[in-house]
Amino acid sequence: MALKSFVFAAGSALALAAGGAWAKDSVTIAMQLEPPHLDPTSAAAQAIDSVVYTNIFEGLTRFMGDGSVVPGLAESWEISEDGTVYTFKLRQGVTFHDGSAMDAEDVKFSLDRARAEDSTNAQKALFDGIASVEAVDPQTVRITLEAPNGSLLFNLAWGDAVIVAPESIGDIKTKPVGTGAYTFQEWVQGDRITLARNPDYWGDQPALASATFKFISDPTAAFAAMMAEDIDAFDNFPAPENLPQFEADPRFQVLVGSTEGETILSINNKQPPFDDIRVRQAVAHAIDRQAIIDGAMFGYGTPIGTHFAPHNPAYKNLTGQSAHDPEKAKALLAEAGFPEGFETTLHLPPPSYARRGGEIIAAQLAAVGIKAEIINVEWAQWLESVFNGKSFGLTIVSHTEPMDIGIYARPEYYFQYDSKALQELMNRLTATTGPDSRTALLQDAQEMIAADYVNGYLFQLAKLGVAKAGLQGLWENAPTAAIDLTAVSWAE
């Protein structure tokens, strides 16, 4: 009896130890959207950065969870007195996951590739104004600008500016090779991506030996998987109505923070009748922001009246300029020649804010005579037809890139707003380094796009995460689209 008890107890202890060891050095995190591929330098999909940013790929600088920009692969830098020459000192002993050394030639290759004439980088404008990139020696890179750019260090922290290995470009979309704390292991399309700890990482070794990103698009399935503890966390949980249940359950923690995601009703400014400012203004006044926040997001979200994050010190509250006023919307449509309204399309990608919010917005538009045909599209379709093809009337999307008001100075961008005045203003902003002057210019830009009713501005997307109680180190806020695993661990 004693021997049997000992064997049982020992077996149980071993099982618990094995289970505990597994739980404490691996994690499964769910996402709603699956990346179209894994090259952050050639697509706009935020799901790419969610997986690879800092985990697989790194840049000269990087964002931290509080939004600050800190050294990345560059350990330090010097700026010339006139602000046009940045000299970066690279960290010693950094290698790519394939074992090759990362040096100044790799940095030059990566930045020249991103800014090349034939570049497919979704944020190519980040590199405007770079006159040259030189590899001074293996550990030194010199970037010369055409004019001072107060945003350069910020721009280099984006996922679109990560450093890639030249020899890996052929397979980068399916077998990414970076310098980060994790290496790519496996991608089971439609299901998961698995990463493993990089034993040769130049920085502190992460606590996790492995990590799995699980793709669960359906909100009901997301709730079931989390409640069953089949997953350890869900980044940007898609069913906000379920959060009170998690908050009341000691097995879980709910992380509510802010994102850089300006959620907007994007308008194709070159497609009639939206090329008439009165029509765009009518759309703006037809929208009841709070009803969308309450109905689609269950109260989570901050109303916005322009394309700027409310938590940014330079934010200007312009929601009153496009207040909900259906009668004014009808009058504007009549003035523009559409007393009976008109028909258009409303393309909705998979996220809950779009699908749920779209139903509410379609009803609000119908109330003033605008009949919007809802077209549900998958993310890849949205990128192809809306973002790249510009074949849409209206769409809903959350722009999660940090400080991205500069997209309004790009006439070729998918909503096709072309304002010479704004383009000139943004050029002045780029050349301005003084904080107070930059704030004034940013507020002028906010006012300009609000006055032109470029898009329907809805709300700033909240970051709603759910995780098991013992998981720590996840970002509460999202200064960029990333699930940074470098500081994630299990509590003892």
Side-chain angles (χ1 to χ4, degrees):
M1 182 69 176
L3 179 60
K4 188 182 292 186
S5 297
F6 172 79
V7 172
F8 175 79
S12 297
L14 287 171
L16 287 170
W22 180 87
K24 291 187 181 299
D25 69 355
S26 67
V27 71
T28 298
I29 298 180
M31 302 165 48
Q32 191 175 22
L33 297 178
E34 181 174 10
H37 58 73
L38 297 176
D39 177 12
T41 67
S42 64
Q46 74 165 60
I48 300 173
D49 277 0
S50 293
V51 173
V52 305
Y53 186 82
T54 75
N55 299 324
I56 294 178
F57 290 111
E58 300 172 298
L60 293 178
T61 59
R62 61 156 291 179
F63 293 113
M64 298 298 288
D66 61 1
S68 60
V69 176
V70 300
L73 292 177
E75 63 179 8
S76 65
W77 50 82
E78 294 179 358
I79 307 172
S80 65
E81 286 189 12
D82 66 358
T84 62
V85 180
Y86 286 67
T87 303
F88 294 89
K89 283 295 180 183
L90 304 181
R91 296 185 187 276
Q92 296 277 350
V94 178
T95 59
F96 286 106
H97 299 154
D98 62 4
S100 62
M102 191 288 297
D103 61 20
E105 290 292 347
D106 297 306
V107 175
K108 174 177 171 55
F109 169 82
S110 299
L111 297 182
D112 283 349
R113 173 175 173 262
R115 67 193 188 92
E117 187 174 339
D118 60 351
S119 168
T120 58
N121 193 297
Q123 300 298 336
K124 190 176 175 181
L126 292 173
F127 313 99
D128 285 350
I130 294 179
S132 65
V133 181
E134 302 169 71
V136 179
D137 60 49
Q139 300 305 126
T140 309
V141 175
R142 181 186 297 130
I143 297 178
T144 302
L145 306 178
E146 295 170 355
N149 183 349
S151 299
L152 182 66
L153 297 175
F154 179 89
N155 293 349
L156 293 175
W158 284 46
D160 308 81
V162 296
I163 307 306
V164 297
E167 63 274 13
S168 73
I169 297 304
D171 295 324
I172 190 172
K173 292 187 175 182
T174 55
K175 296 177 182 178
V177 174
T179 59
Y182 291 89
T183 62
F184 171 80
Q185 293 296 296
E186 181 186 34
W187 185 358
V188 179
Q189 296 276 349
D191 183 35
R192 67 187 184 275
I193 290 173
T194 304
L195 310 183
R197 182 165 52 205
N198 176 13
D200 300 316
Y201 184 54
W202 60 264
D204 294 334
Q205 282 286 302
L208 302 173
S210 64
T212 299
F213 292 94
K214 182 82 172 172
F215 309 120
I216 304 176
S217 60
D218 180 66
T220 302
F223 175 70
M226 199 73 234
M227 288 298 290
E229 299 187 68
D230 293 335
I231 54 179
D232 299 311
F234 204 117
D235 188 68
N236 288 318
F237 190 73
E241 67 274 21
N242 295 139
L243 293 182
Q245 291 170 263
F246 290 113
E247 288 177 324
D249 191 325
R251 295 179 298 159
F252 303 106
Q253 56 180 314
V254 175
L255 305 172
V256 179
S258 62
T259 76
E260 291 293 319
E262 291 86 10
T263 306
I264 63 176
L265 176 65
S266 300
I267 301 174
N268 192 336
N269 280 234
K270 281 194 175 179
Q271 182 185 94
F274 299 118
D275 54 350
D276 187 326
I277 188 174
R278 294 168 297 183
V279 174
R280 300 196 301 272
Q281 188 176 358
V283 169
H285 286 298
I287 295 169
D288 183 345
R289 296 183 182 90
Q290 197 58 51
I292 298 165
I293 293 171
D294 292 341
M297 302 305 297
F298 293 82
Y300 294 99
T302 304
I304 56 173
T306 187
H307 197 108
F308 214 74
H311 56 256
N312 191 295
Y315 175 73
K316 194 160 189 177
N317 187 349
L318 299 170
T319 52
Q321 191 165 311
S322 51
H324 183 223
D325 190 339
E327 294 307 312
K328 186 172 183 177
K330 292 177 184 177
L332 284 161
L333 288 175
E335 184 182 327
F338 299 96
E340 304 302 320
F342 61 90
E343 296 182 359
T344 188
T345 58
L346 177 57
H347 285 70
L348 302 178
S352 300
Y353 66 75
R355 295 280 171 89
R356 293 175 174 179
E359 297 285 348
I360 298 169
I361 287 176
Q364 293 175 352
L365 293 174
V368 302
I370 301 173
K371 302 173 185 64
E373 177 193 1
I374 290 178
I375 301 174
N376 290 329
V377 292
E378 293 307 308
W379 187 239
Q381 292 175 284
W382 188 91
L383 289 170
E384 181 181 354
S385 61
V386 177
F387 189 80
N388 292 322
K390 304 177 181 65
S391 179
F392 74 104
L394 303 170
T395 188
I396 300 175
V397 70
S398 190
H399 284 258
T400 56
E401 296 86 358
M403 188 76 77
D404 60 350
I405 196 169
I407 58 179
Y408 287 78
R410 294 157 56 182
E412 76 285 358
Y413 203 64
Y414 77 101
F415 44 71
Q416 302 189 90
Y417 171 61
D418 190 354
S419 166
K420 298 297 186 291
L422 182 75
Q423 291 158 27
E424 181 183 334
L425 189 155
M426 296 308 295
N427 286 335
R428 295 208 314 272
L429 175 67
T430 298
T432 301
T433 57
D436 292 342
S437 298
R438 287 181 62 82
T439 292
L441 289 169
L442 284 168
Q443 291 184 340
D444 288 346
Q446 292 173 61
E447 290 178 344
M448 193 175 294
I449 63 173
D452 279 349
Y453 295 90
V454 182
N455 293 308
Y457 301 104
L458 306 178
F459 58 88
Q460 197 73 15
L461 190 68
K463 189 175 191 303
L464 308 175
V466 180
K468 289 181 180 177
L471 196 61
Q472 57 192 15
L474 291 168
W475 282 6
E476 184 171 297
N477 300 312
T480 191
I483 303 176
D484 182 357
L485 298 173
T486 56
V488 174
S489 64
W490 289 96
E492 295 295 334

